[in-house]
Amino acid sequence: MTDQFDVIEAGERDGRRRWVGLVVVLALLLIPAISLLTSRDPVAEPAERRVAEPGAVDPAPAAPTPRRTRTPEPIRTITRVDAAPNLLTVPGTAKGDDEVLRVVFPDGARADVRYPAELALDEMGSRPFQGAWIDDRLREFVAPYGGEAEITRGGEPIRNYADNVTLWPRQAGSGMYGQVMLFSFGPWRLAMYDRGEGLTFDQRVDLAENLQGRVTEDGYLVLSAGGGVRLASPGDVVRNDPVGPQLWFGGGLGEMVALVPTPGCDEEAEAPDVIEVRGRPADMVCRGEVLVAATGPESFRARAIDGIRVTMK
């Protein structure tokens, strides 16, 4: 009997505990729910459902709360990049079936270039080229066909050496070439691609301070140098590549002509690498003290080689 009562009593206690437990759980769940409901602001009825009291004046509608928006930053590829063509286009003067173009080389030498009008050399536009030694290291200064955008690609420079000189990272696919110093002279942009043993920081500072450029009244760029910088002279050749002052007409993927002042120019003269390594046939000829080199379709090369005459002033 005792065991039976013990079992029954134990069961009654378990039942009571279950009810008490359920009540506690429900209370714990209801209290936060009621608190949440009472703390919330009442939802306003839509305007179209509100009924105004007779004689009441409708209040002015509340101004909408402005959304917070982040002010966009300037797009650097637009604000930083000067995409202007890095070419000088000067109209030629008609002379019968020919045209005459007065040019200025980067060392300041002037010349008259006569060419068949159909060649349209003036419309191709010209760019300067100049080699220089920084201490005992040769470097070449090229006016990029695509201008500043060709070097910067909308990015940021590594550092500034002067107000008009910046340093840019090595460009993808540039082979043996390294970082690029970009010079600004008026509308012109000159790039110096490092190669081989790179220039030291002090050499770059010396170069930035001592390479000077001025723009002539007709728009040509003339360079000068001092300190540890020495410009290459007409006729200087390094590794079969002329590095003295030159003018390049055209470029990119189109036809191209290079005028290279070359004292004693003869059949042994070398054409610039920019003409010979473009993967297309090239022709050249000496016109007095100037080497004329051309690349492009055969008909274009023939007109350039046969028709261009250069008279140095």
Side-chain angles (χ1 to χ4, degrees), residues 124 249-257 278 280 295-297 300 303:
M124 294 173 64
F249 292 81
L253 299 177
E255 298 89 352
M256 187 172 179
V257 171
R278 291 163 58 85
R280 291 183 293 178
T295 184
F300 174 83
R303 287 196 301 270

Side-chain angles (χ1 to χ4, degrees), residues 136-147:
D136 59 345
R137 301 180 187 180
L138 174 70
R139 292 296 183 269
E140 298 176 347
F141 297 87
V142 180
Y145 184 80

Side-chain angles (χ1 to χ4, degrees), residues 139 151 158 167-181 191-199 204:
R139 292 296 183 269
I151 305 301
I158 298 173
L167 180 68
W168 296 84
R170 176 184 180 274
Q171 294 182 311
S174 58
M176 70 181 72
Y177 293 97
Q179 295 173 335
V180 187
M181 289 184 72
M192 188 217 74
Y193 298 81
D194 223 344
R195 59 189 300 180
E197 185 178 358
L199 297 183
R204 286 174 172 169

Side-chain angles (χ1 to χ4, degrees), residues 63-80:
T65 303
R67 296 178 59 190
R68 287 188 176 182
T69 57
R70 182 182 178 185
T71 303
E73 297 179 354
I75 301 175
R76 289 174 179 169
T77 55
I78 294 177
T79 59
R80 285 194 58 83

Side-chain angles (χ1 to χ4, degrees), residues 13-118:
R13 285 199 299 267
D14 288 343
R16 290 173 182 174
R17 287 176 182 174
R18 289 194 188 99
W19 281 108
V20 172
L22 288 174
V23 170
V24 171
V25 170
L26 289 174
L28 292 175
L29 291 175
L30 289 174
I31 291 173
I34 294 172
S35 300
L36 179 62
L37 291 173
T38 57
S39 64
R40 294 181 59 184
D41 293 333
V43 179
E45 293 181 355
E48 61 272 14
R49 291 188 180 180
R50 295 177 184 170
V51 180
E53 295 180 1
V57 178
D58 289 337
T65 303
R67 296 178 59 190
R68 287 188 176 182
T69 57
R70 182 182 178 185
T71 303
E73 297 179 354
I75 301 175
R76 289 174 179 169
T77 55
I78 294 177
T79 59
R80 285 194 58 83
V81 176
D82 179 7
N86 209 27
L87 296 167
L88 175 64
T89 303
V90 178
T93 303
K95 296 289 184 180
D97 293 335
D98 295 339
E99 290 182 346
V100 176
L101 187 62
R102 292 188 173 180
V103 301
V104 182
F105 289 91
D107 62 346
R110 293 180 173 269
D112 284 347
V113 181
R114 186 161 183 156
Y115 57 92
E118 61 180 1

